[in-house]
Amino acid sequence: MPFTFLVSGASAGFGAAIARRAVADGHRVIAAARRRERLEELHQELGDRLLPLVLDVTDGPAVARLPGSLPAGWQEVDVLVNNAGLAKGMDPAPQAALANWDTMVATNVTGLMHLTRAILPGMVARDRGHIINIGSVAGHNAYPGGNVYGASKAFVAQFSLGLRADLNGTNVHVTDLQPGLVGETEFSMVRLGDAQRAAAIYAGTTPLKPEDIAEAVVWIVGLPARMNINRLEMMPTCQAPGGTVIKRR
Ligand code: NDP
Ligand code: 8X3
């Protein structure tokens, strides 16, 4: 059955890949992000089964107005992919810029929370829907410089479980999708602001691709309605859970 998706952060990376895959599979996609021109390009590429929507998830009033302001025929969102998110900086906590911390919390935590709150009542009223939150392995594996980014993804993990607790008995599904290292996105460039440092993150690795995340998303939404995937952790085979670090003097 074709669904109407709302994908936040659809102008690049995972979000664009999810939009492409969903449209290829016969679904319709409301593609939301801040960069209008990127969304227009995606619209040109994918046609009228994609609705470009300029939206900053940190703009609380705009997010709250969203359900009523969608065009006729696009108001019933079946699948919300809370993907818009970012890391800013990788400095240790004593040196980190507070502005970067605030941006991560505003986007990864508050933005995700507000968009969920805006879309969820409609799903509950229709007794169907999927919320797929893009978390991260950083939400449960601490690493130096991951401080607020990791904490924001820990919020996503616990919020996802809390939502399911509230929605227990309904056909509204909630999944926290937790990828590890994924290349071919703007993530590390946005985080580090330096092409060389960003490229070094992936040197000598074969990371996951945005298409792999899209594959997981369409698998989740295609499962029988009785099933809920609470969390799904994915890593490339060049990465594995690590454990703690010891500092030797
Ligand atoms: P990208 O930087 O490639 O894409 C991020 C997207 O989020 C862009 O489309 C950007 O669009 C959008 N975005 C950022 N801020 C806002 C905002 N305030 N309002 C609306 N849209 C916004 O990153 P990825 O695709 O790699 O990351 C997607 C998600 O996956 C993030 O939540 C990230 O934390 C998570 N993740 C990434 C991993 C990786 O290794 N790449 C691994 C695990 C999780 P625009 O600038 O146009 O608004
Ligand atoms: C992105 C993965 O390990 O760079 O969420 O934090 S990591």
Side-chain angles (χ1 to χ4, degrees):
M1 181 181 122
F3 291 130
T4 299
F5 281 58
L6 168 52
V7 181
S8 70
S11 61
F14 300 3
I18 294 164
R20 287 191 177 97
R21 177 60 190 269
V23 168
D25 284 9
H27 304 294
R28 300 190 313 158
V29 176
I30 303 165
R34 294 168 299 180
R35 284 172 292 176
R36 179 187 300 276
E37 66 289 353
R38 289 292 198 91
L39 298 173
E40 290 301 341
E41 282 168 21
L42 206 55
H43 188 204
Q44 291 283 321
E45 177 189 330
L46 298 177
D48 285 342
R49 273 196 283 130
L50 182 130
L51 177 73
L53 177 77
V54 175
L55 180 74
D56 181 341
V57 296
T58 70
D59 181 345
V63 171
R65 280 195 304 273
L66 183 65
S69 63
L70 288 167
W74 290 90
Q75 294 186 343
E76 296 194 354
V77 173
D78 302 302
V79 181
L80 169 62
V81 185
N82 273 315
N83 165 75
L86 75 186
K88 289 291 270 181
M90 217 167 158
D91 291 326
Q95 285 92 44
L98 265 180
N100 284 343
W101 284 8
D102 288 343
T103 300
M104 288 187 275
V105 170
T107 312
N108 304 357
V109 175
T110 312
L112 180 145
M113 213 167 69
H114 284 194
L115 192 52
T116 302
R117 183 63 183 79
I119 298 299
L120 191 53
M123 288 183 173
V124 172
R126 294 185 293 278
D127 194 27
R128 67 164 200 275
H130 289 264
I131 297 176
I132 301 186
N133 293 325
I134 306 295
S136 169
V137 298
H140 51 275
N141 293 293
Y143 59 84
N147 42 63
V148 168
Y149 178 69
S152 74
K153 295 302 188 179
F155 170 88
V156 173
Q158 193 61 20
F159 184 54
S160 302
L161 294 175
L163 284 172
R164 258 316 290 161
D166 289 349
L167 295 166
N168 195 8
T170 73
N171 280 311
V172 181
H173 306 75
V174 185
T175 301
D176 179 28
L177 185 51
Q178 305 170 343
L181 189 71
V182 189
E184 301 175 17
T185 82
E186 298 177 354
F187 179 83
S188 292
M189 188 59 200
V190 168
R191 179 174 219 173
L192 302 169
D194 176 297
Q196 261 190 329
R197 284 182 71 203
I201 301 281
Y202 310 100
T205 73
T206 306
L208 295 179
K209 293 171 177 281
E211 291 76 9
D212 301 330
I213 309 306
E215 180 75 35
V217 168
V218 296
W219 174 69
I220 290 165
V221 303
L223 291 169
R226 62 181 176 276
M227 288 177 69
N228 190 82
I229 304 295
N230 296 331
R231 59 175 88 81
L232 181 62
E233 181 178 1
M234 349 175 13
M235 287 182 180
T237 50
C238 64
Q239 184 180 32
T244 59
V245 288
I246 296 170
K247 189 88 168 180
R248 301 184 194 279
R249 291 176 188 278

